[in-house]
Amino acid sequence: MKIASRLLLPALLFTQLAFAQKNYPTMGKVIYDDPSFEKLIAKDAKIEVLASGFEWSEGPVWVKEGGFLLFSDVPKNRVYKWDEKEGLSTFLEPSGYTGKGIYSDEPGSNGLIIDSKGRLISCEHGDRRISAMPLNVGGKVTLAGHFEGKRFNSPNDIAEHANGSYYFTDPPYGMDKKHADPTREIPQFGVYRIAKDGKITQEIADLTRPNGLAFSPDGKTLYVAQSDPEKAIIMSYPIDATGKIGTGKLVYDATPMLKVGKAGLPDGLKVDKDGNLWSSGPGGMLILTPAGKLLGRIEMNELTSNCAWGNDGSTLYMTVDGYVCRIKTQTKGAGW
């Protein structure tokens, strides 16, 4: 969800690229809160702006078989494709709402992943479901649309575990009246699991605004970001051998950053090969150790929604309000 007003950078406002280019504009800066952060991002690393002009970019995912990036523009109900050779193009429209008329201000897909079967898995706000679609042809199937006979609120982000299960969050951001929407059927804003056999369970029920999620490299821990301005936190949860989620504990509290005026909340997050967390948050991206120590920040001066590893696993792609950006790192994504 777009959670605060946008700060425009006029010098960087350019039209969406319909072609590739070699030299990209840059924006933002890297802040080294701990000297060890230099091992993750070099001092001379630049934040490149690959495309702009979107209403609210979200859910980036790198497609290894093809070498391109997909991402959502949630208000536009569209998935875009970007690659180095061809630049920007529309990949899928509609992406998350297939009905008539206006559903809400965020009807489209949000979080996207490519699953172990090579399918595009989408969190669909308007159709209130998790869907799967082959990349080379159309035709979606619904993986989850209801829990105990009740429709989800607006599935937001998703991750696939090595055990074949999917875990996803279900806050109210895609609904017309958000948490007060009269069509809400589930009282909790939960974290759910779709087991390998298709069974759906509510694994976490006590978060107020669960959003992004990711697994530790060994698959034994689930991290969940909460985009609640009153409790802007990142939690960790143990996963047992059956896939069940245990009792959570606080990893990082970003609420004090909000209190000093940094815009943005914990939203999408990913994990690198050493277990460090790369999470959107106040000011841009926050990079944390598994224990919650702040190593550094990628300060964007724009609301930052999500990120994904791409190329050989060492490039971090970021969706930043109306922009799509990238930065080269000196690590790789978990499982790459």
Side-chain angles (χ1 to χ4, degrees):
M1 178 190 179
K2 197 168 184 176
I3 46 181
S5 61
R6 181 176 172 188
L7 302 174
L8 296 180
L9 302 180
L12 290 175
L13 288 177
F14 57 98
T15 57
Q16 297 174 6
L17 299 178
F19 53 88
Q21 62 182 59
K22 293 182 180 179
N23 298 313
Y24 297 99
T26 60
M27 66 185 288
K29 62 182 178 180
V30 179
I31 298 173
Y32 297 81
D33 293 279
D34 187 275
S36 65
F37 191 43
E38 287 187 49
K39 296 179 181 178
L40 298 179
I41 296 182
K43 284 285 190 177
D44 61 353
K46 292 180 172 56
I47 305 162
E48 296 179 306
V49 181
L50 306 177
S52 73
F54 312 107
E55 285 197 37
W56 181 239
S57 59
E58 251 285 8
V61 61
W62 184 259
V63 182
K64 294 181 182 179
E65 297 297 326
F68 57 87
L69 186 77
L70 296 177
F71 62 94
S72 302
D73 188 334
V74 189
K76 287 293 189 181
N77 198 16
R78 188 178 299 158
V79 170
Y80 285 102
K81 174 185 176 182
W82 180 91
D83 69 37
E84 200 77 53
K85 293 181 180 180
E86 303 296 331
L88 184 72
S89 61
T90 296
F91 181 78
L92 184 65
E93 185 179 14
S95 66
Y97 176 58
T98 54
K100 293 183 178 181
I102 297 173
Y103 176 76
S104 74
D105 59 352
E106 294 190 17
S109 63
N110 194 311
L112 307 172
I113 62 170
I114 304 300
D115 73 358
S116 56
K117 299 177 182 178
R119 303 176 299 178
L120 177 66
I121 308 300
S122 302
C123 296
E124 300 188 5
H125 277 187
D127 286 348
R128 297 166 70 166
R129 64 173 180 168
I130 303 294
S131 69
M133 186 190 82
L135 283 173
N136 57 341
V137 295
K140 293 183 178 181
V141 296
T142 299
L143 298 183
H146 298 77
F147 173 64
E148 295 182 344
K150 298 177 181 179
R151 295 186 73 192
F152 292 114
N153 296 305
S154 56
N156 187 278
D157 208 350
I158 189 166
E160 183 183 15
H161 195 273
N163 64 19
S165 297
Y166 303 90
Y167 296 76
F168 67 94
T169 56
D170 187 42
Y173 297 135
M175 308 186 85
D176 185 35
K177 299 184 184 304
K178 312 309 176 191
H179 67 279
D181 198 277
T183 69
R184 268 185 65 196
E185 298 180 18
I186 300 176
Q188 300 87 9
F189 301 126
V191 178
Y192 296 86
R193 177 191 180 205
I194 309 170
K196 199 170 182 179
D197 63 3
K199 182 180 179 182
I200 299 169
T201 54
Q202 188 182 75
E203 295 291 331
I204 303 170
D206 61 351
L207 293 176
T208 53
R209 292 293 186 276
N211 205 311
L213 71 179
F215 300 108
S216 60
D218 63 7
K220 295 181 179 180
T221 302
L222 174 68
Y223 297 102
V224 181
Q226 174 163 274
S227 52
D228 183 339
E230 299 302 318
K231 199 173 183 181
I233 59 175
I234 298 172
M235 298 285 292
S236 70
Y237 298 84
I239 305 173
D240 69 19
T242 70
K244 187 71 178 174
I245 300 297
T247 302
K249 66 178 182 180
L250 179 69
V251 174
Y252 190 78
D253 187 351
T255 314
M257 290 184 172
L258 294 173
K259 304 303 182 185
V260 298
K262 291 188 178 296
L265 292 167
D267 195 332
L269 60 88
K270 298 296 184 292
V271 176
D272 69 23
K273 64 182 180 64
D274 297 312
N276 299 306
L277 281 72
W278 300 65
S279 174
S280 57
M285 295 292 302
L286 311 177
I287 294 81
L288 313 164
T289 68
K293 178 182 180 181
L294 181 65
L295 297 177
R297 291 168 282 158
I298 305 172
E299 194 158 88
M300 301 302 295
N301 296 315
E302 291 278 351
L303 298 173
T304 302
S305 64
N306 213 330
C307 63
W309 301 104
N311 296 92
D312 66 350
S314 64
T315 298
L316 188 74
Y317 288 85
M318 299 172 286
T319 45
V320 185
D321 200 346
Y323 306 91
V324 172
C325 306
R326 72 179 175 189
I327 186 171
K328 183 70 175 177
T329 76
Q330 300 187 119
T331 185
K332 289 190 175 185
W336 210 270

